[in-house]
Amino acid sequence: FLEQVRENGEYLRWQLEKLLPVCPEIVSLRGRGLMLGLDLGIGAQPVIESCAENGLLVCKAGDQTLRLVPPLIVERPHIDEAVRILKLAFQTVRDSHVKKS
């Protein structure tokens, strides 16, 4: 069980690292295992709201940090779906910001 948790934590980090070049809002990724944080160059609240609208619950750790703490029993398809929703949320927030400008 713990080996699966470790592998899923590595997989989640790897998937999130792939977002860095395509989501300029993400300043850095930090954390360990399945407990990860995305430090943002924007406020976290609009991203959290967009994620929730698409079925992903995330929380914040400060005004500009998304906290990701999936359950220990998370599986790779869930991770893939979560990362897809995160990417969509960043795009939605980016598009919303452009429309306001």
Side-chain angles (χ1 to χ4, degrees), residues 25 38 40 42-68 82 85-94:
E25 300 82 5
L38 294 172
L40 309 179
I42 62 171
Q45 194 59 41
V47 180
I48 291 169
E49 291 169 5
S50 182
C51 285
E53 289 172 6
N54 290 289
L56 177 65
L57 298 178
V58 295
C59 55
K60 63 181 178 176
D63 291 335
Q64 293 185 286
T65 302
L66 285 181
R67 178 178 288 168
L68 305 175
I85 292 171
L86 274 170
K87 184 176 179 182
L88 176 64
F90 283 115
Q91 182 64 50
T92 300
V93 170
R94 192 177 314 121

